[in-house]
Amino acid sequence: HLTQSVVSGNNATNALGGGIFSQGTLTVTDTSISGNSASQGGGITQQGGMMTLTNSAIHGNTASLSTTGGVVMGGTATVGLI
């Protein structure tokens, strides 16, 4: 659970989820996720499980192998936006 946090300036070279990689339950509240990079899912990669984003910003992330700079959802992942 991330609350009132900043996730910035991370790099997952040749991997997924530069800022955050999650395979379970992820709850993000009042958090900024920016300036991260990865091959896919520069900001967040959610592989299965449930991701809930509340009052958070995902911006300025990049992906070198796709257009998924912000968020990649895989497997049976679901998302709730509040």
Side-chain angles (χ1 to χ4, degrees):
H1 187 98
L2 289 176
T3 302
Q4 296 179 343
S5 301
V6 174
V7 179
S8 182
N10 300 289
N11 182 11
T13 304
N14 297 320
L16 304 172
I20 298 169
F21 181 89
S22 174
Q23 291 181 304
T25 300
L26 173 64
T27 304
V28 179
T29 305
D30 298 326
T31 294
S32 173
I33 301 167
S34 65
N36 301 290
S37 62
S39 58
Q40 295 181 38
I44 300 174
T45 294
Q46 179 71 32
Q47 295 282 40
M50 175 69 177
M51 176 175 65
T52 303
L53 299 172
T54 304
N55 195 34
S56 297
I58 302 169
H59 59 93
N61 300 287
T62 59
S64 61
L65 298 180
S66 68
T67 58
T68 56
V71 177
V72 160
M73 305 290 286
T76 58
T78 55
V79 65
L81 302 174
I82 301 171

